[in-house]
Structure formats: structure tokens, C-alpha cells
Amino acid sequence: MTTGDVRGLIRDRARFLGFEVCGFASAADPWPAGARLESFVAEGHHGTMAWMAETLDRRRHPTAMWPDARSAIVLGLNYGPDSDPLSGLERPSNGLISAYARGDDYHDLIKGRLKQLASWSKARLGGDVKVFVDTAPLLEKPLAQRAGLGWQGKHTNLVSRQLGNWLFLGSVLTSAAIEPDPAETDHCGVCRACLDICPTGAFPAPYRLDARRCISYLTIEHAGPVDPEFRSALGNRIYGCDDCLAVCPWNKFAQGAQESALQARADLVEPSLASLADLDEAGFARMFRKNPVRRIGLQRFLRNVLYALGNSRDPSLASAVEGRLTDASPLVRGAAVWALSRLAPDRISALRRSLTASEQDADVLAEWDLAAA
């Protein structure tokens, strides 16, 4: 069997498993991606994601993680939204969840299919195989560019000429030799739409991201209170941000997700912020069952919801906030104070006097002082 036959059979199997795109790259050749990651961490742009620094050596190159890796099969699964993800910004009393998180958790879906493809490929090529989704220490976007699936745009995300910005990635590394595909080249040109739309200025330069200013990082990865500098810019985004992805001109070729599990669930498309603020642990678990939002936990989610309520500028929503002033979590209480200072600033002093000493620990007191300023 020729190399071309092998690659054609793998692509056919990948399509059978639901992947829209499949490419091949060397996993052993040198590349500059490791040096770029090292600079990212050295500049502190990874924020509180300590695991990026802790796994830096393994992330530098595929063979740093697995020395026997020779080839990579890189897969893409389309999750294109069926409407403009930014239109919900016009309805500030409703929460915006990033397009990728409105259906089932893609990690579980993709990993199962990658294992199927890996087993199938191993039976035909021999060698050892390992599968990776984005929770593993593998630089998947540079690998996808090498495999011809797209290129890393100025927003640092992968852009596909066929599917725009909406691709989940997964990889199968193998010790077998497979002829690589031509790498994709950069097609951003002079466009800077993704850089200019960022509400928090998270791009210090094209192709560079400072995660500490990124709304996706702030609402998902960051565990504590969001710096007051960025709270207004969050708007009604309660989990992730699609701004830089949604404005890319290459989305003119994008398609809606074909995989039913990745299509948006009705209850996750612009849910009412007031109803979300009333969630308890059981309700949160039910609403986000099999969904990636669940991994940030109720407290962090309520923090995001309360910031969004404050940004709604709708005084009628103040009652949805007040109930969280006595929440067991200082993180939630602090966010409630900030939200109330935006919705009902004339009531701040009276409400503060009504709270017990145990509800005013140091962190929350700082929020009250900020609210009164």
C-alpha cells in the first residue's frame, strides 16, 4: 500500500467518524512554536495559568512529550454557530455563552472518536499511537497549520479557508511514518479586524495574546475577582468571548455545525441573567450537564453573571443581585456588591449597614469601599 493510499484511507475513516478536515504533519521536525510559547510565559502573558509554566518543557515540541512521535494526524470538527454570536450584545439583560460552549462538551466527543481513529490506524500502519485534545500539553494550533488545516491568525486562533474560525482540533501522534501535507500559509493580509474589536485590548501586537486581558481567560480560567479595569468591558459575556473570532472575514466560508451534539441548546442561547443569578448547585449541575461551563463551578459562574447584571444598567434587576449579598462565597458577595453599585448606587450605604460582620470579610469590604468611591 502506498503512502497516498494510506492517507486517503485515513481521511475516509476520519470523515466517517464525523471530522470535517484531516491533515498530516511531521511530529519530529524542528519548529519555532516552542520559542514563541517560552516568550509568552516569560512575559507573564499566561496569567494565573500556572500549569502552562509547569508543563513548558513538555509543550515545546511533540517529541518533548513523546520522543517516539514521528507523524501527526490532525483532525478538525466544525462547530460553526447558526447565527451571529455578537448579536446578543444588544440584549444586555441576557447572558452570552461562547459559541463553542452552547452544546455538549467537545472534549468527550472528540476524544472518543480520536481513539477510534487511532486504533483503526494502528491496525493498518503499526507502531504506537497517542491521542490528544486541548487538555494535553501539545501545541495543537501550530501542528494544525503544519498539517494544512489552517493558519494561526493575528488573534492566535486557527483560521480555515473552508470553515472560518470555528474548528475544534484533535490529534493522533504515531510512531509510524506518514508523508506530511503542505503547511498552510498566512492569509490575514493587512486585516486587523480581530485586533481592533477586542474590548480589553488583549493583543499587544498581531499574533500575540496577553491572556491576562482576554475575556475568555477572565471568565473561565481566572479564579478570583476580575480586576475592576475590565469588568465593564465584560458586558453580558458570562462564559468566554467570540468577538475576535466572529469578525474574521474568512467566516464567509463558515458553515453551521453538522454534529447535533455541538449545536446550540435552546436554554444556553442568551439565558436570562436574573434566572441564572438564582441558580443553586443542583440547578447549575442540571443546566450544564455534559457542558463545558460546568467545569468553572457555580461560584465563578455566579461571579460572571453578577458582573453582567451590573453591566445591564437595568435597575429592575437589582433584586436579582441583592440575594447574593449574603452568599456563602466571598467571591460571589463581592461581585454582587459591584453589580449593585451599578444598578442601585443610592442603596449601597443602607445595605452595607444591614450586613453582619461575618458577611464583610476583608475582600468583600474592599468591594464595598470601591462601590462607595
Side-chain angles (χ1 to χ4, degrees):
M1 186 181 298
T2 67
T3 299
D5 291 337
V6 168
R7 297 196 314 170
L9 287 172
I10 293 174
R11 284 196 171 99
D12 288 344
R13 189 65 181 179
R15 282 193 290 269
F16 173 79
L17 292 171
F19 294 104
E20 277 88 357
V21 288
C22 172
F24 304 90
S26 168
D29 289 349
W31 65 358
R36 292 198 299 268
L37 178 64
E38 186 174 1
S39 296
F40 174 79
V41 171
E43 292 168 358
H45 288 171
H46 62 304
T48 57
M49 295 183 289
W51 46 268
M52 294 199 73
E54 292 163 359
T55 60
L56 179 60
D57 287 341
R58 285 190 294 154
R59 290 179 182 273
R60 295 176 194 275
H61 193 275
T63 56
M65 182 177 51
W66 184 32
D68 293 337
R70 294 184 64 189
S71 305
I73 307 169
V74 189
L75 295 308
L77 187 61
N78 172 45
Y79 71 94
D82 57 10
S83 60
D84 179 8
L86 303 186
S87 64
L89 293 171
E90 301 170 3
R91 293 172 285 280
S93 295
N94 298 86
L96 275 188
I97 295 172
S98 183
Y100 87 86
R102 296 179 183 178
D104 288 354
D105 193 330
Y106 68 95
H107 296 93
D108 298 333
L109 179 70
I110 290 181
K111 192 166 188 177
R113 296 182 182 185
L114 288 175
K115 287 181 177 180
Q116 292 182 59
L117 182 65
S119 297
W120 186 91
S121 300
K122 181 178 180 179
R124 284 150 183 80
L125 297 176
D128 293 324
V129 292
K130 295 182 184 293
V131 302
F132 299 90
V133 289
D134 66 3
T135 53
L138 180 70
L139 293 177
E140 57 180 1
K141 288 181 283 189
L143 200 58
Q145 180 161 352
R146 286 202 161 196
L149 270 61
W151 70 96
Q152 278 190 267
K154 293 177 182 177
H155 52 18
T156 75
N157 293 292
L158 197 77
V159 186
S160 164
R161 285 193 284 178
Q162 290 75 42
L163 295 165
N165 287 238
W166 315 109
L167 268 180
F168 291 133
L169 298 175
S171 303
V172 177
L173 296 187
T174 173
S175 60
I178 306 176
E179 182 182 347
D181 285 319
E184 179 62 284
T185 54
D186 190 307
H187 297 281
C188 286
V190 298
C191 178
R192 50 176 295 122
C194 61
L195 309 180
D196 293 338
I197 197 173
C198 180
T200 54
F203 300 105
Y207 307 103
R208 292 179 59 202
L209 171 69
D210 185 346
R212 297 169 299 182
R213 304 181 67 90
C214 174
I215 290 177
S216 286
Y217 164 82
L218 293 170
T219 57
I220 300 173
E221 301 295 344
H222 181 63
V226 172
D227 191 304
E229 175 187 357
F230 303 122
R231 293 178 189 177
S232 295
L234 297 178
N236 59 338
R237 303 171 187 85
I238 57 174
Y239 187 90
C241 178
D242 289 323
D243 291 32
C244 65
L245 299 175
V247 297
C248 179
W250 285 97
N251 286 334
K252 64 186 176 182
F253 299 110
Q255 307 166 20
Q258 299 302 305
E259 173 62 51
S260 59
L262 299 179
Q263 293 172 359
R265 286 169 23 193
D267 61 333
L268 300 185
V269 178
E270 300 182 33
S272 158
L273 289 172
S275 64
L276 294 177
D278 197 42
L279 286 175
D280 58 13
E281 289 284 0
F284 177 75
R286 283 193 302 270
M287 184 168 188
F288 296 107
R289 179 179 176 271
K290 296 175 62 177
N291 179 273
V293 173
R294 188 173 181 181
R295 78 179 182 91
I296 69 171
L298 176 62
Q299 293 179 13
R300 205 180 303 181
F301 182 72
L302 287 174
R303 174 202 64 184
N304 298 342
V305 169
L306 289 163
Y307 289 148
L309 281 164
N311 288 326
S312 73
R313 296 291 190 173
D314 183 352
S316 70
L317 295 176
S319 59
V321 174
E322 285 187 31
R324 292 296 175 179
L325 290 173
T326 55
D327 193 272
S329 164
L331 178 66
V332 176
R333 295 202 305 274
V337 172
W338 184 86
L340 202 62
S341 74
R342 309 261 291 185
L343 299 179
D346 55 318
R347 296 163 60 187
I348 286 293
S349 296
L351 283 166
R352 182 175 188 173
R353 288 194 298 269
S354 72
L355 300 178
T356 67
S358 64
E359 292 162 347
Q360 299 193 46
D361 53 49
D363 290 341
V364 181
L365 280 173
E367 293 289 350
W368 280 110
D369 292 340
L370 178 66

